[in-house]
């Protein structure tokens, strides 16, 4: 059933809309993110920014009076005015063309690629896909496609979708304790005012979740970070991820990886403490021989 205020034709008018933002990759921001991810050292000026760390740039800046109840800018600016209250990162796809040095000036051209609606088991869903092209000094550095999903509030007594089990026996695994401080610091670094990440009263009483929600981009960054920790010096050529179910600050979760035999592809996923899949991802490497070397020397 389509809500009275749902105008599919209006939302389609946003397809093709573009915006261009400019920023500088600041060393102090890179140092703050390194500390948040628990790295003792941060990339210095002139050194390449690690993959996905560009999410600390290109803030969506809105005046306080222009924020919605959920803490995001009110809809109808660059993003279409989808009349559904919940919004989440659904996934993303990346191609890393060239490094972005810390200290460099960068530009991001964003385009609304598609807006689509469907009926899911939990009600109406609207998906918005945004394409970002990020360049520095006129050279294309990153191509990113960002999927956003909007949904309604859960109806009383509605059953949650059945969980999907995560793969067993990963080669690599790291446990993450997503306390409110970690979520607050990442929200601050990305200038993300979405209340689901820091306002427990709002997220539990208004949106009906059991705890603070771990940012999808933070989980994706931790998956890429797992590759960097396990294969130092590796260069990632492509990365893609898809959110499956949310993770909350009330429980630890794990980021896991399984290198493929081709030495080029790494299967990645995040799972909650019950072994249920939260995010699935894949990284494709630039330098297979380096990965093959590490695979030969990993313990069984």
């Amino acid at each position: 059933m389509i809500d009275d205020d749902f105008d599919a034709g209006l939302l389609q008018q946003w397809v093709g809309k573009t915006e261009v933002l400019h920023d500088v990759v600041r060393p102090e921001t890179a140092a703050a993110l390194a500390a948040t991810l628990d790295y003792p050292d941060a990339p210095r000026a002139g050194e390449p920014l690690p993959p996905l760390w560009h999410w600390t740039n290109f803030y969506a800046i809105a005046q306080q009076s222009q924020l919605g109840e959920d803490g995001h800018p009110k809809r109808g600016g660059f993003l279409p005015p989808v009349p559904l209250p919940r919004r989440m990162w659904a996934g993303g796809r990346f191609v890393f063309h060239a490094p972005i040095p810390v200290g460099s000036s960068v530009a991001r051209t964003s385009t609304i690629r598609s807006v689509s609606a469907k009926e899911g088991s939990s009600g109406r869903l609207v998906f918005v896909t945004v394409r970002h092209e990020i360049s520095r000094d006129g050279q294309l550095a990153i191509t990113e496609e960002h999927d956003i999903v909007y949904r309604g509030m859960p109806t009383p007594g509605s059953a949650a979708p059945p969980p999907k089990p995560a793969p067993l026996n990963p080669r690599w695994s790291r446990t993450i304790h997503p306390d409110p401080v970690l979520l607050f610091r990442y929200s601050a670094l990305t200038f993300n005012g979405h209340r689901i990440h820091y306002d427990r009263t709002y997220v539990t009483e208004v949106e009906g979740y059991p705890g603070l929600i771990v940012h999808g981009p933070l989980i994706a960054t931790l998956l890429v970070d797992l590759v960097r920790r396990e294969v130092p010096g590796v260069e990632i050529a492509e990365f893609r991820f898809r959110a499956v179910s949310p993770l909350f600050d009330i429980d630890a979760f794990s980021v896991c990886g399984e290198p493929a035999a081709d030495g080029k592809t790494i299967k990645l996923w995040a799972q909650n403490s019950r072994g249920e899949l939260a995010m699935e991802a894949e990284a494709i490497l630039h330098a297979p021989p380096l990965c093959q070397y590490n695979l030969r020397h990993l313990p069984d």
Side-chain angles (χ1 to χ4, degrees):
M1 179 178 179
I2 297 178
D3 298 330
D4 291 339
D5 58 354
F6 187 90
D7 188 337
L10 172 64
L11 299 184
Q12 287 300 319
Q13 294 178 18
W14 260 255
V15 175
K17 187 178 180 65
T18 64
E19 72 171 8
V20 180
L21 299 176
H22 298 270
D23 207 344
V24 175
V25 180
R26 296 171 177 80
E28 59 270 24
T29 304
L33 182 56
T36 300
L37 298 177
D38 217 19
Y39 270 104
D41 300 311
R44 300 176 181 177
E47 296 179 343
L49 196 69
L52 305 188
W53 286 32
H54 69 282
W55 277 331
T56 60
N57 289 95
F58 308 112
Y59 292 163
I61 297 176
Q63 293 178 318
Q64 191 72 14
S65 59
Q66 296 302 308
L67 299 179
E69 182 188 9
D70 62 1
H72 268 311
K74 291 179 181 178
R75 302 167 195 186
F78 173 66
L79 290 173
V82 179
L84 295 172
R86 285 174 156 188
R87 72 176 95 180
M88 304 283 286
W89 283 63
R93 294 158 299 284
F94 305 80
V95 178
F96 300 100
H97 305 280
I100 297 178
V102 174
S104 59
S105 297
V106 287
R108 187 184 75 182
T109 301
S110 303
T111 305
I112 304 292
R113 293 292 301 273
S114 65
V115 180
S116 61
K118 72 174 187 178
E119 291 289 339
S121 59
S122 59
R124 175 165 294 279
L125 302 172
V126 174
F127 294 90
V128 176
T129 297
V130 184
R131 179 182 175 87
H132 302 294
E133 293 183 345
I134 300 164
S135 60
R136 54 103 176 168
D137 301 324
Q139 179 183 12
L140 182 63
I142 302 172
T143 302
E144 171 184 356
E145 286 194 344
H146 168 200
D147 300 326
I148 309 167
V149 61
Y150 299 80
R151 65 181 71 223
M153 295 296 187
T155 56
S158 60
K164 182 178 179 180
L168 300 175
N169 304 317
R171 175 73 70 144
W172 307 329
S173 180
R174 180 180 176 224
T175 300
I176 307 296
H177 298 277
D179 62 32
V181 177
L182 172 64
L183 304 190
F184 168 79
R185 294 176 86 182
Y186 191 77
S187 287
L189 282 167
T190 55
F191 200 63
N192 183 353
H194 201 179
R195 294 169 67 182
I196 62 174
H197 303 304
Y198 61 86
D199 187 336
R200 193 174 304 277
T201 300
Y202 173 83
V203 76
T204 57
E205 297 183 8
V206 177
E207 297 213 11
Y209 291 106
L212 299 177
I213 298 176
V214 183
H215 313 66
L218 175 57
I219 300 170
T221 300
L222 289 166
L223 289 171
V224 170
D225 178 66
L226 180 69
V227 177
R228 296 179 61 235
R229 289 173 185 269
E230 295 292 341
V231 194
V234 72
E235 294 183 4
I236 296 177
E238 298 180 39
F239 178 73
R240 59 185 64 94
F241 75 94
R242 184 178 73 88
V244 178
S245 62
L247 293 169
F248 306 98
D249 75 321
I250 56 177
D251 200 7
F253 67 92
S254 298
V255 288
C256 307
E258 186 68 36
D262 64 4
K264 183 178 181 180
T265 306
I266 298 178
K267 179 181 179 181
L268 298 160
W269 68 93
Q271 63 184 56
N272 63 25
S273 63
R274 298 178 299 279
E276 298 163 353
L277 187 65
M279 180 177 287
E280 55 188 3
E282 183 180 67
I284 298 176
L285 309 182
H286 268 304
L290 177 61
C291 183
Q292 290 171 350
Y293 175 85
N294 281 274
L295 284 176
R296 288 196 299 270
H297 291 79
L298 283 171
D300 294 328

